[in-house]
Amino acid sequence: MSTIPYAVGGLFVGWVSRRRQTAHPWSQVAALGVVAAAMERVVILGGAHLTYLAHLDLFKGQEWLGVLQAEALPYYTPAYIGAGLVVSPLVLLAAARAATRRPQAPLPRIQRPPAATRGVED
């Protein structure tokens, strides 16, 4: 589930590159992926901290990071954080490259019917 936003973001970056017919530097796309992954981790930490503060009476004597890992997000470990900061930008890059390399299909040409079939004209 966590790779879906990065894949969609990569497809969007690739689509924009094709529409503008300019290639985004891949270093900038990778930096976008790292920033997005880091912000995702910060939002998770911030939300968990706010939840901890809102329910402080339930977690007496427990550290908030321990509560985060034990109660709310057991997968939120240093390995998850580190791997996500590496894998998420790679997914974004791969999706952007795939969307950029796909040949753009030309739009079909719409021809107007002859004047006799368009309707009654005076």
Side-chain angles (χ1 to χ4, degrees), residues 45-117:
L45 279 175
H49 188 67
L50 289 175
T51 303
Y52 174 78
L53 291 176
H55 303 288
L56 198 55
D57 55 332
L58 295 175
F59 307 115
K60 291 180 182 163
Q62 295 179 359
E63 188 177 327
W64 77 275
L65 284 175
V67 170
L68 170 67
Q69 289 178 341
E71 301 291 332
L73 303 169
Y75 62 88
Y76 200 79
T77 61
Y80 168 79
I81 295 169
L85 289 175
V86 173
V87 171
S88 298
L90 291 177
V91 169
L92 188 105
L93 267 172
R97 288 184 62 103
T100 304
R101 289 184 177 186
R102 201 172 94 212
Q104 187 172 5
L107 294 174
R109 184 174 174 95
I110 300 174
Q111 295 185 3
R112 301 184 86 187
T117 59

